[in-house]
Amino acid sequence: LTGTSREQRAFQYLLAHAIPGDPHHILQTFDQWCYHCEHLSCVGPDKGRIVERVLLERAPLRVLELGTYCGYGTVLLAQGLPPGARLYTIEGDPQHAAVAEKVIRLAGFSEETVELIVGPSEEVIPRLQEKHGLMKANLVFMDHWKRCYLRDLRLLESHQLLAEGATILADNVLFPGAPHFLQYAKTCGKYHCKVHRASLEY
């Protein structure tokens, strides 16, 4: 009715209520919107704590996010980066990317820290080294289309984009589910697998 998308309405709410340059408050305000106004399929605070814990344990210098959406996960990742680290985030939907770009900058992250790349992941991943300077990722956060998880993991492997000992963190592998990705990760012999139990977003 308003002619604006849910994602744009959420951003207008952020502009009105969030403290610019305060990533933690940006995420809290996002959560308030999603709990009380309209549901968005962001990571949310429950699963967000798992992401924060992994960042703290791993202290990755090069992070790749597949599926920027509104920028919630991007801000969550960026605020947990160690000094000198860089985050590359890929979003296939230009309208979502436009909202995410504003959210990321509102949270106070520059293009030197967070680079948003717009395009289908299967086209962007093969160009990450040559075009964007990402040689090897220490942490990959998958939160895009579940049917793309396995394809994109194989792409990352074939283009040698995973650093030794890299961590792959994949959201919603049980529901709605990414069974082929899970089966591959458990049986290919390249990965140690751990399932984190969590609730859905909100």
Side-chain angles (χ1 to χ4, degrees):
L1 291 174
T2 62
T4 59
S5 67
R6 273 192 304 183
E7 294 77 22
Q8 289 170 318
R9 291 195 291 273
F11 178 68
Q12 293 302 320
Y13 184 83
L14 284 184
L15 278 180
H17 297 93
I19 301 168
D22 185 336
H24 183 67
H25 197 259
I26 296 276
L27 296 176
Q28 279 187 325
T29 309
F30 245 130
D31 292 336
Q32 286 171 357
W33 171 264
C34 294
Y35 277 123
H36 304 297
C37 301
E38 292 181 277
H39 177 269
L40 295 173
S41 54
C42 305
V43 179
D46 185 24
K47 291 189 286 188
R49 283 186 282 275
I50 297 169
V51 176
E52 288 172 330
R53 191 170 71 240
V54 171
L55 282 167
L56 198 62
E57 289 170 0
R58 303 292 181 186
L61 287 174
R62 294 292 175 268
V63 177
L64 175 63
E65 179 186 33
L66 302 178
T68 317
Y69 188 41
C70 291
Y72 184 107
T74 315
V75 171
L76 181 69
L77 289 164
Q79 74 168 355
L81 292 177
R86 186 162 168 76
L87 168 60
Y88 302 80
T89 182
I90 300 171
E91 174 54 49
D93 185 317
Q95 290 181 314
H96 291 165
V99 173
E101 180 83 48
K102 290 184 277 193
V103 170
I104 293 161
R105 305 311 166 208
L106 184 68
F109 298 108
S110 69
E111 289 185 21
E112 283 69 45
T113 304
V114 178
E115 182 179 349
L116 173 58
I117 305 163
V118 184
S121 54
E122 72 271 21
E123 294 177 13
V124 174
I125 289 171
R127 303 197 310 260
L128 280 172
Q129 288 177 332
E130 185 182 342
K131 191 171 180 185
H132 301 281
L134 173 60
M135 304 318 290
K136 295 203 183 280
N138 309 106
L139 174 69
V140 179
F141 182 48
M142 293 186 167
D143 195 17
H144 56 328
W145 294 107
K146 312 312 156 209
R147 66 176 183 270
C148 301
Y149 279 17
L150 178 56
R151 180 201 68 194
D152 287 352
L153 179 60
R154 301 291 293 268
L155 273 175
L156 291 168
E157 291 173 349
S158 65
H159 287 86
Q160 300 181 327
L161 281 159
L162 299 175
E164 190 175 343
T167 300
I168 315 290
L169 195 56
D171 193 17
N172 295 337
V173 292
L174 298 180
F175 182 86
H180 300 300
F181 167 84
L182 265 187
Q183 184 183 19
Y184 176 77
K186 288 176 177 177
T187 60
C188 72
K190 301 174 187 175
Y191 304 101
H192 299 286
C193 292
K194 179 181 180 183
V195 175
H196 300 269
R197 299 285 169 179
S199 65
L200 286 174
E201 290 81 14
Y202 295 100

